[in-house]
Amino acid sequence: MSVTILAIESSCDETSAAVCCDGTILSNFIANQTIHAQYGGVVPELASRAHMQNIVPVVDAALKNANKSLNEINAIAFTQAPGLLGSLLVGTQFAKSLALALEKPLIAVHHMQAHVLANLIGQVKPTFPFLCLTVSGGHTQIVLAHNPLHLEVLGETMDDAAGEAFDKTAKLLGLPYPGGPLIDQYAQLGNPNAFKFAEPQVPLLNFSFSGLKTSVLYFLQKQKPEFINAHLNDLCASIQATIIHILLQKLQLAAQQTGISQVCIAGGVSANKGLRAAFINMGKANGWETFIPPFEYCTDNAGMIAITAYYKFKAGQFADLSISPSARAEW
Ligand code: KG4
Ligand code: ZN
């Protein structure tokens, strides 16, 4: 029997719906919320309201793009955790209502598992077991994927996530939210060795980024605005190089410790051009086979929820209609 799944993602500020048939993504529609830029960060209540407005047209567009009707769908999947609770509630309630009305099974998906399994979308996939460095706005983790449904977190951030390190240092430089993609853009024109910033040392496979943020803050406080403007490209390149070095050093350690040479990156920060290039180079130097999800599956999207739901469907892992979302990250 062929399996067609409609998936919904609404954990933060993107409303997304996707349709997947037998593990192939047929559509992945994403509505970005631009309203948050003027506030310098995501405003939870505004995000929930925007999800309410977007969800029906977004689901409609995903079905149309996939050329599927609701009666061809075998299951409804949604992001259950982690995320902003008000945002998660919109997607959860919508998915539950649809499952109830259509009398179809419901599948609850963990957002961080989905970021990792985004690497199973597309033609070239890692084989199990593989390592994944998941770098997003809310999380930074090294995960050992034993199989699609058994992921083990080997290390994670003790404070800020890598995406936060990008966004918060961008804010210190006077760049608008979200600053990560802008740092990426300016860094391409700058010298990554122009400035040196602190690299906090933390044990094992864990990460820390708050010391880097403080080091950038103290450095910038001593500079005149004209200096910052004149050296923006070099500052962005140096900050980005520090974040990449912190991330890849630990990934290399994880590969050495586990002996695993199938290595992936995932999450919004894996869209970063500098990280992608450095990761591929590190893979070549260490004899790894490296994988990065297609660009549209790096930042938040329902395609990754759909692919995860496909594996859960095959394993018979369905959710009860009494399920509620959780803001917390526990697996
Ligand atoms: O995975 P994601 O879309 O949402 C969360 O689950 O958090 O990640 C968003 C994060 C933001 O911090 C954003 O600045 C960062 O990913 N990001 C980037 C780039 N594109 C997105 N950071 C650096 N360079 C990029 N090109
Ligand atoms: Zn995410």
Side-chain angles (χ1 to χ4, degrees), residues 4-21 24-33 50-51 53-68 70 73 75-79 90-92 94-95 98 111 121 296-297 299-307 309:
T4 305
I5 295 172
L6 170 66
I8 292 160
E9 152 65 30
S10 70
S11 65
C12 190
D13 61 340
E14 265 102 21
T15 320
S16 180
V19 176
C20 151
C21 183
T24 301
I25 305 295
L26 301 182
S27 67
N28 180 43
F29 195 89
I30 305 169
N32 297 302
Q33 301 179 4
H51 284 307
Q53 284 178 336
N54 291 342
I55 196 145
V56 171
V58 163
V59 167
D60 208 34
L63 287 166
K64 283 206 176 83
N65 290 356
N67 207 14
K68 294 281 178 194
L70 276 177
I73 299 297
I76 316 289
F78 68 100
T79 305
V90 178
T92 304
F94 190 88
L98 214 49
H111 184 85
I121 298 173
E296 66 171 306
Y297 302 111
T299 48
D300 288 349
N301 69 90
M304 67 185 194
I305 306 301
I307 194 87

Side-chain angles (χ1 to χ4, degrees), residues 140-153:
T140 299
Q141 295 180 328
I142 295 181
V143 172
L144 167 50
H146 297 276
N147 64 52
L149 303 177
H150 180 196
L151 307 189
E152 184 186 351
V153 179

Side-chain angles (χ1 to χ4, degrees), residues 240-261:
Q240 179 171 298
T242 312
I243 295 173
I244 293 171
H245 189 248
I246 294 171
L247 291 171
L248 292 187
Q249 236 188 347
K250 291 294 173 101
L251 185 59
Q252 191 171 33
L253 187 60
Q256 279 163 3
Q257 285 181 359
T258 58
I260 291 173
S261 59

Side-chain angles (χ1 to χ4, degrees), residues 273-319:
K273 293 186 191 64
L275 175 62
R276 292 163 91 94
F279 169 64
I280 290 166
N281 284 340
M282 178 172 266
K284 281 188 189 139
N286 288 276
W288 303 342
E289 219 178 318
T290 51
F291 303 87
I292 309 176
F295 199 78
E296 66 171 306
Y297 302 111
C298 286
T299 48
D300 288 349
N301 69 90
M304 67 185 194
I305 306 301
I307 194 87
T308 308
Y310 172 66
Y311 289 100
K312 293 190 95 167
F313 187 104
K314 288 204 299 184
Q317 293 187 3
F318 300 108

Side-chain angles (χ1 to χ4, degrees), residues 145-323:
H146 297 276
N147 64 52
L149 303 177
H150 180 196
L151 307 189
E152 184 186 351
V153 179
L154 301 182
E156 59 194 331
T157 185
M158 318 290 282
D159 42 55
D160 290 346
E164 273 178 291
F166 271 104
D167 296 339
K168 288 180 177 172
T169 51
K171 199 168 183 173
L172 296 173
L173 291 169
L175 300 174
Y177 179 86
L182 289 170
I183 292 206
D184 189 3
Q185 193 182 318
Y186 294 124
Q188 286 176 71
L189 307 168
N191 172 8
N193 300 312
F195 303 101
K196 283 271 162 284
F197 297 112
E199 283 195 28
Q201 301 301 315
V202 276
L204 309 173
L205 297 174
N206 296 318
F207 302 91
S208 167
F209 291 98
S210 64
L212 164 65
K213 185 183 59 192
T214 312
S215 149
V216 172
L217 173 69
Y218 288 165
F219 176 83
L220 293 177
Q221 277 174 343
K222 286 187 229 131
Q223 313 304 328
K224 294 201 162 62
E226 305 83 68
F227 176 91
I228 297 173
N229 284 338
H231 295 85
L232 190 58
N233 295 340
D234 286 348
L235 285 164
C236 288
S238 302
I239 291 168
Q240 179 171 298
T242 312
I243 295 173
I244 293 171
H245 189 248
I246 294 171
L247 291 171
L248 292 187
Q249 236 188 347
K250 291 294 173 101
L251 185 59
Q252 191 171 33
L253 187 60
Q256 279 163 3
Q257 285 181 359
T258 58
I260 291 173
S261 59
Q262 297 277 304
V263 190
C264 310
I265 54 174
V269 179
S270 66
N272 182 273
K273 293 186 191 64
L275 175 62
R276 292 163 91 94
F279 169 64
I280 290 166
N281 284 340
M282 178 172 266
K284 281 188 189 139
N286 288 276
W288 303 342
E289 219 178 318
T290 51
F291 303 87
I292 309 176
F295 199 78
E296 66 171 306
Y297 302 111
C298 286
T299 48
D300 288 349
N301 69 90
M304 67 185 194
I305 306 301
I307 194 87
T308 308
Y310 172 66
Y311 289 100
K312 293 190 95 167
F313 187 104
K314 288 204 299 184
Q317 293 187 3
F318 300 108
D320 191 88
L321 279 176
S322 63
I323 195 167

